[in-house]
Each structure stands twice: as structure tokens, then as C-alpha cells.
Amino acid sequence: METKQMKIAGSALWAKVMEPDTKYVPEGQYTIKVVMPVTEAAELCEQLDSYANQKLAEVVKEQPKLKAVLSTTPAYTIEYDDDGNDTGNVTFNCKLKAVQVLRDGTKRVQKPFVCDSKVKPINPDTLIGNGSKVIVKVQPNPYMMPATKTVGVSLKMLGVQVIELVEYGMPTTNLFDEEDGYIFEAVAKDDNQDMFNDVDDTANAENEGDF
């Protein structure tokens, strides 16, 4: 089934987008969680729920016997505070495997494009801390998990645009005021800089392989 790429704007949580995390995936996986108010996320959640329901209908049509046992799982989670109270936020978990296994068995190394507010690539040594304001571009990928009999939608991370940086390990307050002087300029344009422009981003998840 075809899905459209989405932009998820909110606050970053546990971003590992410069170097892949190998704790659970030996070949590495890039991850970031995006937190946003449920009122702002309503349209995104509705679209993701629609993809999950479409996938459920496809699976049931192909395998009618599974209708009674299949269930859907949302592509987002409701956020609760330490006391178990609903914070009014939802969290989107975006991932990208460092090595993609294609349907023909070949492997392809991949990484997300990470840029600043002007779509210029960010220094790879930059650590994006919790609370940074980001826009994450994702490709929704509907799936059916045979082991758990669940249908859902995973969010394949394509790129991260940092709007306001809270650098990991640094104070969250501003250390300086803006002054006239040096402004960082990227050496060359990256082809991925067009990622955050509005274009037709429809893709067929069936042809993507292992992401």
C-alpha cells in the first residue's frame, strides 16, 4: 500500500541520529522520539490510524481466518508523568536501521540527513539534547507482526531538521546574546537539503524491504 511521507514537529527526546545505537540492533539503528501536544498531533494520529486500519483490511482479505485474532497497535504513545497522569502529549518513535536489507538480500548502508533551520548539514559532532525543537521527516510503513498478531505502522526516519538546539550536556539557558560577526556557512549543498521542501513524497511501503 502507498503512504505519504510526514513531517513531525515537536520536542526531541533521546535523539541518536549522528551515530547509530547498537544496543538492540547489532548493525546499528538511528532513533529519535518526538513529543508534541495531542491537540497538534491529532491530524497525524488520524492519518497513521488510517494506514493501520487499511493494512488490517488487506491482511484480513488475504487471510480471513486471522480476522478474529488480529488487533491494531497505534504508531504513537500517550505520555504520562511520574505520577501516572496524562500530560496531554503524544510521542512518536522514529527509527532508521544503519544497514537496510533489500528484498533481493543485498545490504545498503543508510543514515538520516540532519540539518539546521536553514537546511544546512549539522556538524556530526553535535549532540541533540532533550527538549530541542525538531522536525522529523518520516516514511510510514504499515506492517503485520505474525508472532503477536498485531498490525501497526512504523515510522522510518528520513531526516531531522533542528529548529532550536539544546545541546546535550550544556545548560538549557542561553549563554550569549546574538552579536554581529561570524555566521557558519556550509561548504557545499547536500542533495538531501531538498528533503524538507514540500514535494510529492508518496511511496509504496511494499517495495522498501527491511528498513
Side-chain angles (χ1 to χ4, degrees):
M1 62 179 288
E2 290 187 345
T3 61
K4 283 186 173 293
Q5 293 176 7
M6 297 177 166
K7 292 177 183 177
I8 303 176
S11 299
L13 186 65
W14 310 121
K16 295 180 180 178
V17 298
M18 296 301 190
E19 293 291 334
D21 183 7
T22 58
K23 184 175 182 179
Y24 300 109
V25 180
E27 292 182 317
Q29 181 170 245
Y30 299 94
T31 62
I32 186 172
K33 293 184 178 182
V34 185
V35 182
M36 63 189 303
V38 67
T39 52
E40 298 177 13
E43 187 174 342
L44 284 173
C45 293
E46 183 179 352
Q47 183 62 66
L48 291 169
D49 288 344
S50 175
Y51 286 147
N53 290 330
Q54 289 178 52
K55 182 65 176 179
L56 177 63
E58 285 185 3
V59 175
V60 170
K61 183 177 180 179
E62 295 171 359
Q63 305 178 63
K65 293 181 179 180
L66 293 179
K67 182 177 181 179
V69 295
L70 284 178
S71 62
T72 58
T73 183
Y76 49 87
T77 56
I78 304 298
E79 183 185 66
Y80 296 94
D81 62 22
D82 292 339
D83 296 322
N85 300 312
D86 187 340
T87 65
N89 295 327
V90 294
T91 301
F92 297 90
N93 194 11
C94 313
K95 302 178 181 180
L96 179 70
K97 288 183 179 179
V99 178
Q100 180 185 26
V101 180
L102 303 178
R103 292 191 179 278
D104 62 4
T106 59
K107 295 183 178 182
R108 181 175 67 186
V109 176
Q110 55 186 2
K111 65 184 304 183
F113 173 64
V114 185
C115 64
D116 64 12
S117 60
K118 304 303 181 184
V119 202
K120 294 178 181 178
I122 290 178
N123 187 317
D125 293 331
T126 303
L127 297 178
I128 301 172
N130 293 347
S132 296
K133 301 302 181 184
V134 298
I135 299 174
V136 180
K137 193 158 191 178
V138 299
Q139 180 70 59
N141 283 295
Y143 66 86
M144 194 278 278
M145 191 76 69
T148 58
K149 300 295 189 296
T150 56
V151 173
V153 180
S154 61
L155 303 175
K156 179 181 179 180
M157 173 175 34
L158 303 177
V160 179
Q161 185 176 27
V162 181
I163 307 303
E164 294 180 14
L165 176 66
V166 177
E167 193 163 359
Y168 181 79
M170 294 292 290
T172 56
T173 55
N174 293 327
L175 297 178
F176 302 99
D177 295 324
E178 287 191 13
E179 303 285 353
D180 293 331
Y182 171 74
I183 300 175
F184 174 75
E185 294 290 344
V187 176
K189 182 179 184 296
D190 190 303
D191 290 339
N192 286 311
Q193 285 178 254
D194 293 329
M195 179 181 295
F196 289 93
N197 295 329
D198 291 326
V199 295
D200 184 4
D201 293 324
T202 301
N204 190 331
E206 299 294 336
N207 296 325
E208 285 294 313
D210 181 15
F211 54 88

